[in-house]
Amino acid sequence: MPVRFRVRAAAPGASSPVERVVDVGDPDPAAPPLREIRIGRGPDVELPLPFAGLAPVHARLRRAGDGGGWLLEDAGGPPRALARGAAIDLGSVTVVFEGEEAVAAPAGPAAAEGTGTIARRLVRDLFAGAPAGSTPELEVVAGPEPGQRLALAETGRPYLVGRGTGCALPLVIDEISREHAVFVWTDQGVVVRDLGSKNGVLVAGTRVATEQRLRHGDLVALGPVTLRLRDPIDRYLAEIAAGAPATAPPPDPAPAVAPVSDQPPAMVTGAAVRAGSRVPIALAAVAVAVLVAVAAAAVALIAG
């Protein structure tokens, strides 16, 4: 049974924080139960959070024996029992533990989703109001009429590229098919699909068979035309995962949860955390003004 969390993060200029609901684990009732959930900015953790102030594995939840309860581990003290509704402070983001009970998922943007898209969605929500925004963009860097740009402003919308008059990015060249390729901004990033063109679509020199997920900075060749993808969200996530952003923001304040050690502490039961209360993990609380500064620094990173 999946474990449900509510992820709340401070959005720059917003009157209320961004909130997402995420389920971690296999929803199949026959699947073995989860024993551990890692939280951090690492790409391979069970609950990835794209914030520079977090360690790759910042906190760890472990199932407490066969009783079904959960314990929270960090470097700030012994493991603590988690009750449903307990909030885990991680500096600019708060993770609320909802437990394994069936909970009706809200509709719309806050609907429950898997960990494969949670980080990307959070970044898109947080920086929707940034000056440069989070919108991916294609630019013609080689071929006739260099400098043309196409903003992929709507998620899920197919943007046609070809020499047809109805294309979002018209390339009136004989080597380009009428409907040569389509680009789509999905929850997983930008995807390019070859529409059966005569000269094909190449990404980094390799021909695309059907479709391919693109990364920030990828070069896409359509005949004699080369496009470069600018994807601020993908760039930001890659820098966070690497742990050394190319344009590093000011240092984040210490999160309320100290990073866990690679060697987990011995499993001992700590004081129970009252449902709906905040987990008392570190000695210092993070002030609201500091949270706003962290969010503003992240905006500066993605806008850069």
Side-chain angles (χ1 to χ4, degrees):
M1 180 182 296
V3 178
R4 175 158 292 179
F5 298 91
R6 291 183 182 272
V7 179
R8 297 171 182 161
S15 58
S16 59
V18 170
E19 181 172 294
R20 288 265 173 201
V21 177
V22 57
D23 292 337
V24 178
D26 193 334
D28 185 352
L34 284 170
R35 307 301 303 179
E36 177 184 79
I37 298 173
R38 297 165 299 164
I39 302 173
R41 63 173 170 79
D44 58 346
V45 298
E46 287 72 30
L47 183 53
L49 299 175
F51 297 92
L54 303 184
V57 179
H58 200 95
R60 182 184 284 109
L61 276 64
R62 291 185 185 273
R63 193 179 293 276
D66 297 327
W70 287 89
L71 300 176
L72 174 66
E73 297 177 357
D74 81 316
R80 292 160 170 83
L82 279 180
R84 184 168 173 175
I88 306 168
D89 286 330
L90 302 171
S92 57
V93 61
T94 299
V95 177
V96 180
F97 176 75
E98 295 285 1
E100 296 176 282
E101 300 273 339
V103 179
E113 56 195 328
T115 57
T117 60
I118 182 65
R120 183 171 291 275
R121 283 180 178 272
L122 274 171
V123 174
R124 189 173 69 196
D125 290 347
L126 286 171
F127 303 115
S134 58
T135 303
E137 182 181 72
L138 294 168
E139 179 183 4
V140 178
V141 294
E145 299 185 60
Q148 287 190 85
R149 296 174 185 266
L150 172 62
L152 310 178
E154 298 179 37
T155 58
R157 173 186 166 183
Y159 287 84
L160 276 174
V161 176
R163 58 183 173 86
T165 55
C167 290
L169 179 60
L171 300 171
V172 188
I173 306 169
D174 290 341
E175 293 89 343
I176 302 294
S177 300
R178 288 185 179 277
E179 294 185 350
H180 197 107
V182 65
F183 293 82
V184 184
W185 186 19
T186 74
D187 290 337
Q188 290 75 41
V190 176
V191 173
V192 61
R193 300 187 186 114
D194 187 350
L195 299 178
S197 62
K198 180 177 67 175
N199 290 317
V201 175
L202 283 75
V203 176
T206 301
R207 184 157 185 160
V208 174
T210 53
E211 70 175 41
Q212 182 169 326
R213 157 88 157 83
L214 299 177
R215 299 290 182 182
H216 172 74
D218 272 351
L219 296 176
V220 184
L222 286 67
V225 177
T226 300
L227 310 175
R228 177 184 287 121
L229 174 68
R230 174 187 174 273
D231 187 343
I233 291 178
D234 190 71
R235 182 189 66 182
Y236 177 84
L237 290 173
E239 291 173 346
I240 290 297
T247 52
D252 286 336
V257 174
V260 296
S261 169
D262 290 337
Q263 299 298 323
M267 295 299 294
V268 295
T269 56
V273 180
R274 179 170 57 85
S277 66
R278 296 200 173 272
V279 181
I281 294 177
L283 298 177
V286 180
V288 174
V290 176
L291 297 182
V292 174
V294 172
V299 170
L301 170 62
I302 195 169

